Amino acid sequence: SIGSYTFRNCKKLVNVTLPATVTTIGTETFENCINLANVRLPSNLESLELRLFENCRSLRSINISQGVRTVKKAFTGCKFLREMTFLGKVPLFQDDAFTTLDNVTVHYPELGTTWDGAINKNYGGTNIYWVKYGHDHEWVSEKISDPSCTEPGITNRTCLVCDVVEQDYTPPLGHHYDKNGFCERCGA
């Protein structure tokens, strides 16, 4: 984790890339970093805290990593921020999450209806535009069952981004009879 106020008022900070091991960043960590222009948030970051990027005047766009589940009033005073891209599931937005933001395009992934309740709200900002984009699935596989002589094998694939689940089937193996007429696999 990175504590609150860690880079506060750091005028020479221009680029920040945080490692995936960072899951929390405290409040006001980058406040008044007026030259901060490029930020790569870690994929496991869970929340955008209060005044995290307050008055970061050089910040024009930011990608919000897929692990973020809560967006607080993190961008107050970022008067030149024009684009935000969310890379995962819909987070919980505080009512004032976009306070002081104006003329910002928020890109969100096409994930069925999961974003429907969150979009087209200003969250305290003005002229907030919501734009849907497609995404590439990032699959994790889980074997449910191996194929048998008569039943298919089943593997579930779950997308880490949108939680869609698909099933893959392996065909049944069929019986393999020995010279006595019994299946060597199942005994039938």
Side-chain angles (χ1 to χ4, degrees):
S1 81
I2 298 175
S4 297
Y5 318 112
T6 301
F7 299 102
R8 187 179 191 191
N9 298 316
C10 186
K11 308 286 190 250
K12 294 184 180 186
L13 190 62
V14 175
N15 301 303
V16 171
T17 299
L18 300 170
T21 55
V22 174
T23 59
T24 59
I25 302 173
T27 60
E28 301 178 43
T29 300
F30 299 102
E31 181 185 14
N32 295 322
C33 294
I34 60 172
N35 293 308
L36 182 61
N38 301 299
V39 178
R40 285 190 61 135
L41 295 172
S43 58
N44 295 322
L45 184 64
E46 297 168 356
S47 177
L48 297 181
E49 293 297 323
L50 289 170
R51 298 188 299 277
L52 181 62
F53 297 103
E54 185 169 0
N55 296 323
C56 291
R57 296 187 305 226
S58 297
L59 193 60
R60 306 283 190 265
S61 66
I62 189 165
N63 289 341
I64 311 299
S65 49
Q66 64 188 27
V68 171
R69 296 291 170 249
T70 305
V71 178
K72 299 179 181 176
K73 193 163 95 175
F75 300 98
T76 304
C78 294
K79 61 183 177 180
F80 298 107
L81 182 62
R82 293 295 172 256
E83 286 191 290
M84 301 171 78
T85 302
F86 286 85
L87 303 175
K89 300 173 197 165
V90 61
L92 173 65
F93 290 98
Q94 283 191 337
D95 288 341
D96 60 355
F98 296 160
T99 295
T100 76
L101 294 182
D102 182 31
N103 199 28
V104 176
T105 300
V106 179
H107 302 275
Y108 64 98
E110 183 176 23
L111 301 175
T113 61
T114 59
W115 278 84
D116 287 353
I119 62 171
N120 298 324
K121 295 181 182 176
N122 284 333
Y123 297 104
T126 53
N127 301 314
I128 306 297
Y129 306 100
W130 296 83
V131 178
K132 187 186 304 187
Y133 69 89
H135 76 280
D136 293 326
H137 291 294
E138 295 179 30
W139 298 109
V140 172
S141 294
E142 175 189 13
K143 186 183 287 188
I144 304 300
S145 63
D146 288 319
S148 69
C149 293
T150 58
E151 297 294 323
I154 301 172
T155 301
N156 281 351
R157 297 186 312 152
T158 304
C159 177
L160 293 172
V161 178
C162 67
D163 283 337
V164 70
V165 177
E166 292 185 358
Q167 286 191 331
D168 290 328
Y169 295 94
T170 305
L173 300 173
H175 293 293
H176 187 266
Y177 296 105
D178 63 17
K179 63 181 180 181
N180 296 319
F182 295 102
C183 178
E184 293 176 349
R185 286 191 198 57
C186 71

